[in-house]
Amino acid sequence: MASRGFCRELYSCIFDYSTPRIALIKSRKVGVMNRLIQLGILAYVIGWVFVWEKGYQEFDTVVSSVTSKVKGVAVTNTSALGTRIWDVADYVIPPQEENAFFVMTNLIITQNQTQGHCPDLPDQSTICNSSHDCIPGFISTHSFGVQTGQCVAYNETVKSCEVYAWCPVENDTELPEPAFLKEAENFTVLIKNNIWFPKFNFSKRNILPNVTTSYLKTCLYDRMHNPFCPIFRLGSIVSEAGESFRDMAIQGGVMGIQIRWDCDLDKKFSKCVPRYSFRRLDSRELDHNVSPGYNFRSAKYYKNINDVESRTLMKVYGIRFDILVFGTATVLCDVIVFQFFKKRYYYREKKFKHVEDYDELSGNEEHGSNP
């Protein structure tokens, strides 16, 4: 019985023919609703997919590399250091970073430190009246060394717990104002940015083809007059972000240099150009200004003729510039180019390469080589 049912279904599937029946409903209400739905779908496809989202284009995101070179010289005159020249080897720390550079703007320097015993910097955890207030071997979170258990004079009026540390300990309670290297405002940086859109094998750099060596030696970026000059004055970067360089230089901070490449590769090569913008990246809340700015410590070590090691400790404040590169490239989809453009046959010829069958071509060559 089951086999008969299967054969009947198979016979019906092969030899029977069915066609859909269409009912024409003569109703204005249904007809208008149908057309409105069709118009809505059409508006969505044209308005959203094609016009707004540019669904007829292919997209690719940018692959980027960045290098930078800072230039500038400053002169300082202080009681600790005397008159001194500062060049790029002194204030750019480290010499190279990935997609970033740091410029020192302020400094607390402690010279001729050696390892030994000395009073710790007075604070709530180190001020003492007698040795009973000091714990041998104790290390405070903010201490510069290990407590010896002795209470010693820090100055004529204050006593603090003695520590085994690099002595004398650093005193960072007061920052130089104005900033130690306030002249850094006039330093400049050359930014070289190379980009690549791998899907379209398109590459370019921010030093545009029309830029000459003589122009590069004299130009400075200006949003209105020199928007494609890759050399930037540090003070202008900060001011364009709505900040004061003199204020920021005291405690340091983090700035973002944004380079955007939005390229329509259906247009001329020269139309793909970088756009620069600037903003401050580190959080700065006026009503909650705890631990502001950007700083770190660095030291230079020495040994005297008696083989005694000493060092110069530097608490460095400055501005870190992060270079952020964004970008997309778009190309008109092949289906439109090859089917609807007037020059579609020309585009097809350039895109496709016709190659003869290898086996057949090899056979013809062999026959041709025989006498």
Side-chain angles (χ1 to χ4, degrees):
M1 295 294 292
S3 61
R4 286 183 181 181
F6 173 75
C7 292
R8 190 179 299 111
E9 289 294 332
L10 181 63
Y11 181 89
S12 176
C13 179
I14 296 174
F15 296 105
D16 289 353
Y17 169 75
S18 61
T19 182
R21 182 178 182 181
I22 300 175
L24 179 62
I25 302 174
K26 294 186 176 181
S27 168
R28 291 182 180 179
K29 183 178 180 180
V30 174
V32 169
M33 185 182 299
N34 178 52
R35 297 307 178 199
L36 287 175
I37 292 173
Q38 291 176 338
L39 286 173
I41 295 172
L42 186 63
Y44 168 77
V45 172
I46 295 175
W48 178 259
V49 176
F50 281 86
V51 177
W52 185 258
E53 290 293 319
K54 293 182 170 58
Y56 54 86
Q57 291 183 321
E58 285 189 274
F59 288 82
D60 194 14
T61 54
V62 69
V63 177
S64 168
S65 70
V66 175
T67 60
S68 61
K69 183 188 293 184
V70 180
K71 288 188 177 181
V73 175
V75 181
T76 59
N77 190 352
T78 62
S79 57
L81 298 175
T83 302
R84 178 167 175 174
I85 287 284
W86 297 82
D87 63 16
V88 66
D90 298 313
Y91 57 73
V92 174
I93 310 169
Q96 283 293 318
E97 290 189 73
E98 183 178 354
N99 298 336
F101 61 94
F102 174 87
V103 175
M104 179 180 74
T105 56
N106 213 355
L107 177 66
I108 294 175
I109 190 166
T110 309
Q111 299 187 90
N112 302 319
Q113 285 187 319
T114 57
Q115 292 195 17
H117 298 86
C118 56
D120 204 350
L121 185 69
D123 64 17
Q124 291 182 349
S125 64
T126 62
I127 291 178
C128 59
N129 294 315
S130 69
S131 295
H132 295 291
D133 300 323
C134 304
I135 306 171
F138 176 72
I139 303 175
S140 169
T141 304
H142 303 290
S143 176
F144 289 97
V146 183
Q147 288 189 12
T148 64
Q150 300 298 313
C151 181
V152 296
Y154 179 80
N155 55 33
E156 294 180 355
T157 59
V158 177
K159 289 183 177 181
S160 68
C161 293
E162 184 184 65
V163 289
Y164 178 68
W166 285 96
C167 299
V169 297
E170 173 191 84
N171 184 352
D172 61 350
T173 54
E174 292 185 7
L175 267 173
E177 291 190 35
F180 184 75
L181 280 184
K182 59 183 181 297
E183 288 82 1
E185 184 176 12
N186 296 313
F187 295 168
T188 61
V189 59
L190 166 63
I191 296 176
K192 298 179 183 180
N193 177 213
N194 292 272
I195 59 139
W196 176 46
F197 293 106
K199 182 184 288 188
F200 310 124
N201 196 27
F202 178 90
S203 59
K204 200 168 186 180
R205 63 177 186 156
N206 67 325
I207 302 179
L208 302 178
N210 62 330
V211 172
T212 63
T213 303
S214 59
Y215 173 78
L216 207 59
K217 289 181 178 179
T218 58
C219 77
L220 273 178
Y221 172 84
D222 181 270
R223 186 182 297 274
M224 297 297 296
H225 303 102
N226 283 313
F228 303 122
C229 176
I231 299 176
F232 304 84
R233 179 178 170 270
L234 301 189
S236 298
I237 293 174
V238 175
S239 63
E240 286 220 14
E243 301 286 339
S244 166
F245 187 93
R246 293 296 177 100
D247 293 341
M248 195 174 185
I250 295 171
Q251 294 181 324
V254 183
M255 287 295 305
I257 301 173
Q258 300 174 121
I259 308 177
R260 177 167 291 280
W261 296 84
D262 288 327
C263 300
D264 186 345
L265 301 186
D266 295 312
K267 297 179 180 179
K268 294 181 180 179
F269 178 86
S270 60
K271 297 294 183 181
C272 179
V273 292
R275 305 292 180 184
Y276 301 100
S277 60
F278 316 95
R279 59 167 298 180
R280 185 167 184 170
L281 299 180
D282 58 320
S283 177
R284 190 172 66 92
E285 302 175 14
L286 297 178
D287 59 342
H288 189 253
N289 199 28
V290 176
S291 187
Y294 182 69
N295 67 77
F296 57 88
R297 288 178 174 86
S298 178
K300 295 182 179 180
Y301 295 85
Y302 314 91
K303 279 190 176 182
N304 62 17
I305 58 175
N306 298 319
D307 205 35
V308 176
E309 186 179 38
S310 64
R311 74 177 188 181
T312 296
L313 178 66
M314 297 179 293
K315 186 174 183 181
V316 177
Y317 296 78
I319 304 175
R320 175 187 167 97
F321 295 86
D322 288 343
I323 305 169
L324 313 170
V325 182
F326 308 90
T328 55
T330 58
V331 172
L332 203 62
C333 286
D334 290 355
V335 65
I336 296 179
V337 174
F338 298 144
Q339 300 298 329
F340 300 106
F341 275 30
K342 291 182 180 180
K343 295 183 179 181
R344 57 185 179 274
Y345 300 110
Y346 170 79
Y347 294 141
R348 288 177 191 170
E349 181 183 349
K350 293 297 182 183
K351 180 175 178 69
F352 300 107
K353 181 180 180 181
H354 298 279
V355 181
E356 300 292 339
D357 183 85
Y358 179 78
D359 294 331
E360 184 178 327
L361 185 62
S362 300
N364 291 337
E365 289 180 351
E366 289 177 1
H367 290 306
S369 62
N370 294 329

